[in-house]
Amino acid sequence: MKSKALTLAVALVTAGVAQALSAAAPQPPAWVAESNQDAQILLKTFADFAPEQAGQLGVDGLDEETTNLTPDIVERLDAAVDQDLAQFNALLAKATDPHVKQDLQILINAAGDAKRDNELQHKYMLNYTNVPQLVFFGVRSLVNPQVPAERQQAVVKRLEAYAGMHAGRPAITEQAKALFEADLKRDPKLLGPYQAELAQDLDDDQHYIVGIKALLSKSQVKGWEPAWSKLETELNDYITWVKSDVQPHARADNRLPEEMYANNLHDLGVDEDPRALMQEAMFSFSEIQHQMEGMAILVAKQKGYKSTDYRDVLRQLKKKQLNGKNILPFYKQRLKEIEAIIRREHIVTLPQRDMVIRLGSAAETAQQPAPHMDAPRLIGNTGQYGEFVLPNNAGQPGGMDDDTFDAAAWTLTAHEARPGHELQFASMIEHGTSIARAVFAFNSANVEGWALYAEAEMQPYEPLDGQLVTLQNRLLRAARAFLDPMVNLGMITPDGAKAFLEREVVLSPAFAKEEADRFAFRLPGQATSYYYGYHNLLTIRGETEVALGPKFDRQKFNDFILSQGLIPPNLLRQAVQEEFIPSQK
């Protein structure tokens, strides 16, 4: 498990996906300003313990700051969150506006969840930190084309802090070693990182080190070389230490204590017993397979394939791979086609500006091997945009072939770009969504549920092969919702899950391994949130269509959902029932 120092950051802004206010947003209602003032309490705590993440989120004045893994970090974090909770409860007792009250409860829940995460980490896990990954993130978040050049220069001070060149601050590598050794002394029975996780970290760490130097070399930053020279040596020494001192304590079993896994699900917005979720998802998996069988017959007939088995048809479609130089232009063109459909069919309101799609570096691909959305500056946004990042591993031996063919580009673009993640983030900026709803309400069930819903909204307008791949992706999300719990409850091994995904969902070995790693150690529980969020959002829409009958307007409904920020499914249902439905009647 990663360092407890990052627990608050993970709890509050999982995977860095969150949004807040834009300077260009319309004037929000008065209650939003009051709520945002309340949120500053928790933002300050976030900034104190994870300044790199808070700075990327948009909190000012943190460019030179770094994570400080002090020996008392667990106690400090616990005390800080207790103080925040006391202030929020006092504010809640005085609040009168119902929106402000709801936002205060969101802040209370976020702080309480962070406190619970910290307690469970301390109870069960050795404090292991992947320092090269932490440093790579800290450098990349500053040395970024969307960050003004004058701010990027602060990366030199950040490097010096990491390297232990500031008085009273040991190198980040020494701090991480001390925390691990203190936990080992406190209780030798605490759980170390999972063996496969540690092996993956050690494999990726050289990519991070090379990637940091590449970022600095390509930047306009001056005078970074001395600090980097010292830090590079320290990072390589740290890798050697991990092999000699951490690896012997790595655990062979991927499973977390069941209490921790259940807590993960709660943090992600999945408030359902994992065994019940498995049963529902298995039913959906079989139902989607039947839909794919019918669609595969149509695609095979259209393209002249001999076999009509959906697995064989997908393998045939994958054979026509895009080459490296054509991937990016192809996806940009596909986005234009999708945007034209969205406008023609009145699916949802689109921004007037273009969005960014780019290929990731080798280091970014190591950190996040799947296609993803990189969030822009999220508080005080002055025109920075989210970026749809395609992994830079196409055509490499053993690389993924799952997203680099024509039919796959429909559903991936709908999910990550528009009308999926990018539109969700842009909408929150443009609506002036409160910080509580946009940042601290974050839950993966909302974010990934919307993106999977966006895929479904686009499916009817896609060619037959695009529709088949959309169903394949829906099949994957159903599989995740039972395989992730099975891996974490000891009902199947990660290798067994990988084999199932290759066989039944037709994933490449590389993609299937990434999925199994996600279940086992990258983000246990997160994979369930897609199916859970999608199921809840479709249920809310069905309830709304029944309530409104012929007055139901899809575009107005979708716009309203986006305007609510990242609130969990129960609060989203409440907003639709109490605000949207009455407004349409």
Side-chain angles (χ1 to χ4, degrees):
M1 186 54 59
K2 305 308 180 188
S3 169
K4 300 183 187 79
L6 304 183
T7 299
L8 182 64
V10 172
L12 302 184
V13 231
T14 303
V17 182
Q19 290 294 326
L21 298 177
S22 168
Q27 187 65 32
W31 71 263
V32 172
E34 182 180 348
S35 172
N36 287 346
Q37 187 61 42
D38 295 339
Q40 299 304 312
I41 296 168
L42 200 51
L43 277 176
K44 182 181 182 306
T45 298
F46 181 25
D48 287 345
F49 288 89
E52 298 96 334
Q53 288 88 343
Q56 187 189 45
L57 186 69
V59 179
D60 289 324
L62 301 174
D63 290 348
E64 297 181 7
E65 301 300 318
T66 64
T67 297
N68 189 13
L69 304 176
T70 59
D72 63 343
I73 185 150
V74 173
E75 294 77 16
R76 283 197 303 118
L77 178 55
D78 200 50
V81 173
D82 280 342
Q83 289 181 3
D84 293 349
L85 286 168
Q87 292 185 70
F88 290 142
N89 283 310
L91 289 167
L92 183 60
K94 299 177 182 178
T96 56
D97 187 287
H99 294 97
V100 172
K101 287 183 175 181
Q102 189 176 62
D103 279 12
L104 279 167
Q105 192 60 57
I106 288 169
L107 294 168
I108 288 168
N109 291 343
D113 287 348
K115 181 179 173 67
R116 177 66 173 160
D117 293 344
N118 199 49
E119 290 171 349
L120 290 173
Q121 290 277 333
H122 189 64
K123 178 179 178 181
Y124 290 113
M125 310 300 293
L126 288 170
N127 205 327
Y128 156 68
T129 307
N130 185 346
V131 175
Q133 183 185 57
L134 172 62
V135 173
F136 173 74
F137 176 85
V139 172
R140 184 167 67 95
S141 62
L142 271 182
V143 184
N144 182 311
Q146 294 199 42
V147 175
E150 61 273 17
R151 284 186 57 208
Q152 291 188 33
Q153 188 60 36
V155 78
V156 175
K157 293 291 186 184
R158 183 168 280 184
L159 289 170
E160 290 173 353
Y162 284 140
M165 298 169 71
H166 295 167
R169 175 76 70 91
I172 188 69
T173 53
E174 294 306 310
Q175 294 181 44
K177 290 178 187 178
L179 280 180
F180 181 86
E181 290 164 354
D183 269 357
L184 196 59
K185 185 177 180 180
R186 175 172 65 88
D187 185 354
K189 294 181 181 179
L190 291 172
L191 299 176
Y194 173 45
Q195 288 174 353
E197 171 189 20
L198 198 59
Q200 187 65 59
D201 283 355
L202 290 169
D203 187 52
D204 291 341
D205 283 345
Q206 289 303 325
H207 290 296
Y208 294 136
I209 292 173
V210 171
I212 293 165
K213 189 172 183 178
L215 286 169
L216 295 167
S217 299
K218 293 175 184 177
S219 74
Q220 301 301 310
V221 175
K222 306 296 182 184
W224 56 269
E225 292 86 354
W228 172 244
S229 178
K230 185 174 187 296
L231 181 56
E232 184 178 23
T233 299
E234 292 168 350
L235 291 176
N236 281 305
D237 289 344
Y238 185 76
I239 292 171
T240 301
W241 174 83
V242 169
K243 292 176 180 178
S244 63
D245 288 53
V246 178
Q247 212 159 28
H249 300 283
R251 68 186 194 274
D253 189 340
N254 70 278
R255 289 176 295 174
L256 293 171
E258 195 161 334
E259 184 182 18
M260 289 192 73
Y261 182 66
N263 187 64
N264 282 0
L265 293 177
H266 169 75
D267 286 347
L268 294 158
V270 180
D271 287 317
E272 185 170 358
D273 180 85
R275 291 168 180 83
L277 183 64
M278 286 165 52
Q279 188 174 23
E280 294 170 17
M282 285 177 176
F283 169 81
S284 292
F285 186 89
S286 295
E287 189 173 45
I288 297 165
Q289 277 186 314
H290 290 147
Q291 295 174 37
M292 292 180 70
E293 287 165 0
M295 186 63 68
I297 292 171
L298 299 178
V299 174
K301 181 179 179 181
Q302 182 186 70
K303 296 186 176 293
Y305 298 158
K306 291 182 180 180
S307 173
T308 60
D309 184 283
Y310 77 83
R311 303 164 188 83
D312 293 332
V313 173
L314 286 169
R315 292 186 186 102
Q316 285 291 118
L317 292 172
K318 281 187 175 187
K319 287 181 178 179
K320 293 185 177 180
Q321 288 285 305
L322 304 167
N323 64 43
K325 67 178 182 180
N326 290 334
I327 294 173
L328 193 57
F330 185 89
Y331 267 92
K332 289 182 177 180
Q333 179 58 35
R334 181 53 45 85
L335 175 63
K336 291 180 181 179
E337 296 171 40
I338 288 175
E339 288 177 326
I341 294 170
I342 293 170
R343 292 188 177 99
R344 185 190 74 214
E345 301 297 331
H346 305 288
I347 294 172
V348 68
T349 302
L350 289 175
Q352 295 303 307
R353 60 169 178 78
D354 293 334
M355 64 161 289
V356 179
I357 308 178
R358 65 177 177 84
L359 286 176
S361 67
E364 287 177 297
T365 301
Q367 186 179 41
Q368 174 53 280
H372 61 280
M373 174 59 57
D374 262 2
R377 179 182 175 89
L378 310 175
I379 296 174
N381 187 293
T382 56
Q384 298 85 359
Y385 303 139
E387 297 178 332
F388 172 22
V389 183
L390 294 162
N392 194 11
N393 56 17
Q396 297 179 9
M400 299 180 190
D401 62 1
D402 306 87
D403 303 309
T404 48
F405 63 102
D406 188 327
W410 288 101
T411 190
L412 180 60
T413 305
H415 183 101
E416 298 290 349
R418 295 177 178 173
H421 287 322
E422 192 274 345
L423 181 58
Q424 186 178 37
F425 305 158
S427 177
M428 283 186 283
I429 290 176
E430 292 167 3
H431 282 92
T433 305
S434 71
I435 293 172
R437 293 165 188 257
V439 177
F440 295 115
F442 176 87
N443 66 98
S444 191
N446 180 304
V447 174
E448 301 300 351
W450 168 262
L452 186 50
Y453 173 82
E455 294 178 25
E457 285 287 80
M458 295 306 303
Q459 182 188 342
Y461 313 106
E462 297 168 356
L464 292 177
D465 57 355
Q467 293 190 50
L468 179 62
V469 177
T470 295
L471 287 171
Q472 179 201 21
N473 277 271
R474 199 174 303 159
L475 188 74
L476 170 61
R477 276 45 173 265
R480 285 172 172 172
F482 61 79
L483 289 175
D484 188 299
M486 289 176 72
V487 167
N488 284 282
L489 297 174
M491 301 167 69
I492 192 173
T493 65
D495 285 344
K498 176 178 178 293
F500 181 89
L501 292 171
E502 288 184 49
R503 183 177 66 253
E504 299 298 332
V505 188
V506 202
L507 299 191
S508 67
F511 191 12
K513 180 183 183 302
E514 194 236 314
E515 288 294 300
D517 288 350
R518 183 205 299 243
F519 307 155
F521 63 84
R522 282 190 183 274
L523 284 169
Q526 193 270 343
T528 66
S529 63
Y530 298 73
Y531 173 85
Y532 183 82
Y534 174 61
H535 179 274
N536 275 272
L537 186 50
L538 279 187
T539 301
I540 293 169
R541 174 163 166 171
E543 294 168 349
T544 307
E545 291 192 48
V546 170
L548 293 177
K551 291 185 178 181
F552 177 80
D553 184 300
R554 172 170 68 174
Q555 183 168 349
K556 288 180 180 179
F557 174 80
N558 289 340
D559 286 349
F560 179 83
I561 294 297
L562 289 176
S563 74
Q564 296 305 299
L566 303 179
I567 57 178
N570 63 320
L571 293 182
L572 190 59
R573 174 177 281 105
Q574 180 182 335
V576 169
Q577 291 176 345
E578 295 180 1
E579 297 179 45
F580 180 73
I581 292 176
S583 75
Q584 299 303 297
K585 287 182 175 180

